[in-house]
């Protein structure tokens, strides 16, 4: 049994060797503009010449080389600057229509060691051509001219991800979507050789919106992304008949519902030069340089009223392309305020202004000395209640929003807590006030006395200077 198997295998190998060296006949598929490398049969020690003939053995000589390094090429214009010999392999560059021929290569003109190469044209095409819009018909074709008496090769397409389209077909026809953007490849499988012919497909669309909401706060920048992928130009977009580009805002209510009444933020003027026309901008900025395709809205800081959905839209005659970006604002609310007197009740709430989704948690970081039982174990509550605040609770409180232990954003609030006046302090203050009052009275009394003394003195002086009129002198 095994002996038989080995025999069959040997015969098969022998046949393979014979085919590869004697009169092998290969089809080589190429696109216009391609380069191909054709191998000569393996050299044996006696062989001195490698000859490349057109059409058939003994036909016009296309190229030759010998064992001493000499070589020569056809002088015909259609082969000018296209041929090169690398070792004994023939390289044909930039193949044109007239170069799809049959070649025979021989060693020392021996029939036993010759190979026939049939250069066959391969065409990949797209109709209608790029660019497409999502919803347009995408139609690709891969055509080959297989020589007579040769088996048609297996032909199939690979999508831009490299996945084969089944069942195998020379054509692909489907409704274009964003995923179809990229390089499609036609694969021609024959004689265990894979020839791959790529074609680029452009589907005009906006870049994908972030899967997660954009989180912001009063101390964090707000970025609402939207962009046109860099491989798509405004010329291509205009060529597809764009009619409108704009941004709309759908505010979120405190119950977490999205309003039905959008606000138009910006619209694009599609004249000779593109420019944004502000509507109700809500202090959001947009890049006026549209060449980059960056349509994002930005602001240095978020605001409570930024919560909601932002929709970036490109309108064409038959299709609207849009992306929705959800914005959430994290904030800490302190009731009754941030300036407190120790002993007051305090409520702190950290959140997004509506009930937190179950996959999100908050984590508090109170200032240094604060220790709260509610923060000791388990998940932190969104609401903190402190029945009586003390000065130790003053300082910066931070609250982070977490998803699967990963921090999304954090915010801080500064609490100022004044100490409350105690009775002993009241006694001290009152005593001090009494002492000050007594001192004042003392000073006043002393001043009065001094003034009276002065007046008395002046009186006496007057009497010596001016002699008194006689009538007064009576004792
Ligand atoms: C768009 O511009 C904003 C602000 O200038 C920038 O933060 C953002 O990274 C840009 N986005 C892209 C995709 O270039
Ligand atoms: C704190 O919240 C509770 C209920 O959650 C409320 O009864 C109380 O009045 C609030 N206190 C302040 C100071 O806002």
């Amino acid at each position: 049994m095994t002996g038989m198997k080995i025999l069959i295998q040997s015969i098969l190998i022998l046949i393979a060797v014979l085919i590869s060296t004697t009169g092998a006949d290969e089809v080589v598929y190429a696109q216009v503009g391609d380069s191909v490398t054709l191998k000569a049969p393996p050299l044996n020690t006696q062989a001195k010449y490698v000859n490349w003939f057109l059409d058939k053995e003994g036909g016009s000589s296309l190229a030759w080389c010998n064992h001493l390094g000499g070589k020569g090429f056809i002088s015909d214009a259609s082969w000018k600057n296209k041929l090169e010999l690398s070792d004994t392999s023939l390289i044909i560059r930039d193949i044109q229509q007239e170069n799809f021929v049959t070649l025979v290569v021989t060693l020392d003109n021996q029939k036993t060691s010759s190979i026939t190469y049939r250069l066959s044209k391969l065409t990949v095409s797209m109709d209608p051509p790029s660019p497409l819009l999502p919803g347009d018909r995408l139609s690709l074709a891969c055509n080959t001219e297989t020589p007579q008496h040769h088996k048609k090769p297996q032909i199939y397409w690979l999508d831009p991800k490299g996945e084969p389209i089944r069942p195998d077909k020379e054509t692909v026809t489907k409704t274009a979507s964003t995923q179809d953007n990229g390089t499609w490849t036609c694969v021609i499988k024959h004689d265990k050789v894979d020839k791959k012919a790529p074609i680029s497909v452009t589907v005009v669309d906006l870049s994908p919106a972030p899967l997660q909401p954009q989180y912001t706060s009063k101390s964090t920048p707000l970025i609402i992304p939207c962009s046109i992928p860099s491989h798509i130009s405004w010329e291509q977009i205009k060529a597809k008949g764009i009619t409108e580009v704009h941004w709309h805002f759908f505010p979120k209510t405190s119950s977490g519902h999205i309003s039905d009444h959008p606000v138009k933020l910006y619209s694009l003027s599609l004249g000779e030069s593109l420019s944004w026309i502000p509507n109700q901008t809500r202090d959001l900025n947009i890049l006026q340089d549209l060449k980059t395709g960056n349509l994002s809205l930005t602001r240095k800081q978020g605001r409570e009223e930024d919560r909601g959905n932002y929709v970036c839209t490109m309108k064409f005659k038959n299709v609207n392309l849009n992306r929705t970006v959800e914005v959430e604002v994290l904030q800490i609310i302190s009731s009754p305020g941030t300036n407190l007197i120790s002993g007051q009740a305090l409520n702190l709430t950290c959140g997004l202004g509506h009930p937190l989704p179950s996959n999100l948690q908050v984590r508090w970081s109170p200032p240094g000395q604060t220790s709260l039982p509610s923060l000791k174990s388990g998940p932190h509550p969104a609401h903190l209640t402190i029945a009586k605040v003390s000065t130790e609770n003053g300082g910066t409180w931070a609250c982070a929003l977490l998803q699967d232990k990963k921090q999304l954003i954090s915010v801080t609030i500064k609490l100022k807590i004044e100490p409350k006046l105690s009775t002993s302090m009241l006694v001290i203050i009152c005593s001090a006030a009494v002492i000050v009052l007594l001192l004042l009275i003392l000073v006043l009394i002393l001043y009065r006395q001094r003034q009276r003394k002065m007046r008395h003195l002046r009186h006496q002086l007057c009497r010596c200077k001016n002699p008194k009129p006689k009538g007064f002198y009576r004792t």
Side-chain angles (χ1 to χ4, degrees):
M1 243 346 236
T2 42
M4 189 72 168
K5 222 172 170 180
I6 288 168
L7 186 70
I8 290 172
Q9 265 179 357
S10 314
I11 290 169
L12 281 178
I13 288 167
L14 190 68
I15 288 171
V17 168
L18 282 176
I19 284 175
S20 72
T21 53
T22 67
D25 194 337
E26 283 187 22
V27 181
V28 175
Y29 291 100
Q31 282 175 280
V32 168
D34 275 357
S35 293
V36 296
T37 301
L38 307 174
K39 282 199 175 105
L43 275 186
N44 48 44
T45 44
Q46 298 103 42
K48 294 199 169 67
Y49 291 93
V50 178
N51 280 304
W52 297 82
F53 299 107
L54 270 175
D55 297 331
K56 59 181 190 292
E57 200 190 333
S60 329
S61 170
L62 189 70
W64 61 267
C65 63
N66 62 24
H67 66 297
L68 299 172
K71 54 181 137 182
F73 300 100
I74 195 170
S75 57
D76 195 286
S78 58
W79 294 98
K80 205 164 180 231
N81 298 331
K82 290 195 192 296
L83 300 177
E84 193 186 312
L85 279 164
S86 161
D87 204 2
T88 59
S89 295
L90 181 69
I91 302 168
I92 310 175
R93 295 192 195 286
D94 185 25
I95 293 181
Q96 296 302 313
Q97 187 61 47
E98 61 271 24
N99 305 123
F100 290 103
V101 293
T102 300
L103 301 178
V104 181
V105 55
T106 63
L107 295 182
D108 289 348
N109 295 353
Q110 288 167 359
K111 246 207 177 75
T112 49
S113 49
S114 77
I115 304 175
T116 302
Y117 289 110
R118 296 175 200 277
L119 295 183
S120 292
K121 192 160 119 185
L122 162 69
T123 341
V124 291
S125 57
M126 179 178 172
D127 181 42
S130 284
L132 302 177
L133 283 172
D136 284 353
R137 186 174 56 96
L138 166 64
S139 163
L140 299 169
C142 187
N143 295 309
T144 55
E145 291 167 6
T146 305
Q148 273 187 344
H149 313 303
H150 279 266
K151 216 179 111 206
K152 241 187 132 35
Q154 180 196 358
I155 299 179
Y156 60 92
W157 281 91
L158 300 177
D159 70 11
K161 284 201 206 80
E163 299 288 333
I165 307 294
R166 299 287 185 221
D168 294 358
K169 254 195 198 164
E170 290 159 38
T171 55
V172 170
T173 309
K174 66 181 297 243
T175 305
S177 74
T178 311
Q179 286 78 40
D180 297 324
N181 184 83
T183 304
W184 286 73
T185 312
C186 171
V187 183
I188 296 102
K189 243 185 153 82
H190 71 110
D191 297 345
K192 297 191 198 94
V193 187
D194 281 9
K195 164 69 188 169
K196 290 185 176 176
I199 186 167
S200 164
V201 172
T202 304
V203 181
V204 171
D205 206 351
L206 293 162
S207 297
L211 297 172
Q212 287 257 4
Q214 297 294 101
Y215 291 98
T216 186
S217 76
K218 278 182 184 139
S219 52
T220 321
L222 171 61
I223 299 172
I224 307 163
C226 182
S227 62
I228 299 163
S230 54
H231 62 264
I232 299 168
S233 69
W234 277 105
E235 282 61 43
Q236 288 176 314
I237 293 171
K238 281 182 176 171
K240 292 308 289 182
I242 192 159
T243 59
E244 261 181 88
V245 181
H246 45 64
W247 268 108
H248 275 108
F249 170 51
F250 294 75
K252 192 180 259 185
T253 61
S254 55
S255 60
H257 288 108
I258 296 292
S259 154
D260 300 329
H261 303 287
V263 176
K264 195 181 217 172
L265 303 169
Y266 281 97
S267 49
L268 189 67
S269 147
L270 291 163
E272 200 45 28
S273 66
L274 299 169
S275 65
W276 286 106
I277 301 163
N279 298 97
Q280 295 184 48
T281 65
R282 301 173 66 88
D283 292 333
L284 290 162
N285 303 304
I286 198 159
L287 289 176
Q288 277 296 353
D289 175 18
L290 281 148
K291 273 188 226 92
T292 59
N294 189 338
L295 314 177
S296 306
L297 296 173
T298 59
R299 195 181 326 103
K300 278 212 187 80
Q301 287 164 347
R303 294 177 187 169
E304 197 183 323
E305 62 273 19
D306 288 336
R307 289 185 182 119
N309 286 359
Y310 294 76
V311 183
C312 166
T313 309
M314 282 209 285
K315 272 192 175 172
F316 294 84
K317 278 181 212 112
N318 297 325
V319 66
N320 284 0
L321 306 177
N322 57 49
R323 293 289 178 269
T324 300
V325 182
E326 192 181 351
V327 169
E328 293 282 21
V329 184
L330 186 68
Q331 67 180 149
I332 301 178
I333 298 168
S334 169
S335 169
T338 52
N339 288 335
L340 301 151
I341 295 167
S342 65
Q344 268 188 295
L346 170 67
N347 281 341
L348 284 177
T349 307
C350 175
L352 301 172
H354 53 86
L356 274 191
S358 58
N359 60 337
L360 300 182
Q361 299 91 39
V362 300
R363 189 182 57 209
W364 291 95
S365 303
Q369 279 96 8
T370 302
S371 69
L372 293 175
S374 53
L375 302 185
K376 285 268 162 59
S377 64
H380 287 187
H383 306 274
L384 286 183
T385 302
I386 305 177
K388 282 182 175 178
V389 290
S390 70
T391 49
E392 284 170 2
N393 302 137
T396 303
W397 288 73
C399 169
L401 188 67
L402 309 179
Q403 183 174 33
D404 302 328
K405 293 185 180 136
K406 209 182 107 228
Q407 179 171 322
L408 299 170
I409 189 172
S410 85
V411 276
T412 61
I413 193 171
K414 208 163 190 166
L415 295 186
K416 222 166 118 189
I417 298 171
E418 301 284 358
K420 195 168 150 189
L421 299 181
S422 60
T423 35
S424 58
M425 271 177 74
L426 269 179
V427 168
I428 292 169
I429 289 168
C430 288
S431 321
V434 167
I435 290 167
V436 168
L437 203 67
L438 286 177
L439 277 174
L440 269 175
I441 291 168
L442 196 68
V443 168
L444 203 68
I445 290 170
L446 286 175
Y447 181 72
R448 274 279 190 72
Q449 266 184 356
R450 202 175 128 90
Q451 261 196 341
R452 208 177 301 151
K453 225 185 237 168
M454 288 277 277
R455 214 180 301 147
H456 191 65
L457 212 68
R458 219 181 295 147
H459 212 63
Q460 275 184 343
L461 278 174
C462 291
R463 237 188 295 184
C464 329
K465 252 198 203 153
N466 318 343
K468 283 272 164 178
K470 254 199 182 111
F472 273 87
Y473 230 118
R474 229 188 326 187
T475 338

